[in-house]
Amino acid sequence: RADLAWFSAMHDAGKFIMSCSSTRYSGECRGVKAQLAAYGKLEFITCVGKNDWAKYGIHRLESVFALLDDPVAESIQALGDDGKELMCIRFKDGLLLTIHLSPDIVGTAQFSIFGRNKWNLVEITNSYAMFRQNIVEFVRSVEEGRPRLGFKKTYNLIHTLIGGLESKRDGGKIIKL
């Protein structure tokens, strides 16, 4: 939280800050986002990825939050164990997001989205395209003299990530965000 407060102060002082996971720019996520209305009211989203919450949770968060226009979560709760992490995130509209991470599974970055009208399994596979688009967005930001991705979105994601770490540290306590 001290680091997040420092970056917030730098942002408030007018410093140029742009930080994100390239998954925000994945073609797979953008494709689903373009068709999101067809799903109807969303009920559940599940994400699965390799590694752990501290190192890779941000990538799963960023892909889903970008898909949903960067909502603010109500709460987060760590429910898994070391090696098999499970985070449950609740949103005001009733949507539940679960993120499953393990260093012991085959490498994957995927999510399933369940709406009242449609569901879909999405696997992020084109790393080159999302990394390239992230660089393009950064270059455009430098050319425009301002980050094209607002710091408020980055703050929201890191605040959620920290909440998950706190819940894990506190034995699965629900952390209000």
Side-chain angles (χ1 to χ4, degrees):
R1 292 212 179 271
D3 290 341
L4 184 56
W6 185 86
F7 279 102
S8 293
M10 293 297 104
H11 171 264
D12 293 345
K15 303 296 182 188
F16 183 105
I17 297 174
M18 180 181 167
S19 177
C20 66
S21 166
S22 293
T23 58
R24 172 172 288 278
Y25 302 108
S26 78
E28 296 89 349
C29 290
R30 288 177 165 195
V32 170
K33 186 172 184 171
Q35 302 295 319
L36 206 54
Y39 289 80
K41 183 179 183 318
L42 299 180
E43 298 293 337
F44 300 102
I45 299 177
T46 61
C47 293
V48 177
K50 187 164 176 73
N51 282 316
D52 62 29
W53 182 252
K55 293 184 192 99
Y56 279 80
I58 191 62
H59 301 293
R60 301 296 68 82
L61 284 172
E62 187 113 35
S63 61
V64 173
F65 277 48
L67 173 76
L68 302 174
D69 291 326
D70 293 282
V72 175
E74 269 191 349
S75 67
I76 186 166
Q77 183 178 20
L79 299 170
D81 302 316
D82 284 335
K84 292 182 182 164
E85 294 183 301
L86 167 59
M87 297 290 171
C88 182
I89 301 166
R90 295 179 181 274
F91 296 92
K92 185 185 277 189
D93 65 357
L95 176 66
L96 287 178
L97 164 62
T98 58
I99 300 177
H100 308 256
L101 294 162
S102 174
D104 299 324
I105 64 171
V106 66
T108 188
Q110 61 178 264
F111 65 90
S112 295
I113 182 168
F114 300 89
R116 291 189 177 174
N117 302 334
K118 181 179 176 178
W119 79 276
N120 195 5
L121 169 66
V122 179
E123 186 172 15
I124 300 171
T125 58
N126 193 343
S127 299
Y128 172 79
M130 70 181 185
F131 293 145
R132 181 186 182 285
Q133 189 59 41
N134 195 348
I135 291 169
V136 167
E137 287 297 312
F138 178 74
V139 169
R140 287 179 180 161
S141 293
V142 171
E143 290 172 346
E144 293 174 11
R146 63 169 184 79
R148 291 170 53 92
L149 180 64
F151 181 73
K152 184 177 178 182
K153 293 177 182 183
T154 299
Y155 182 94
N156 180 37
L157 287 158
I158 299 302
H159 179 66
T160 305
L161 182 76
I162 292 168
L165 292 171
E166 291 171 345
S167 177
K168 183 177 173 183
R169 178 198 67 206
D170 295 345
K173 177 182 172 186
I174 295 173
I175 303 296
K176 299 290 185 190
L177 301 168

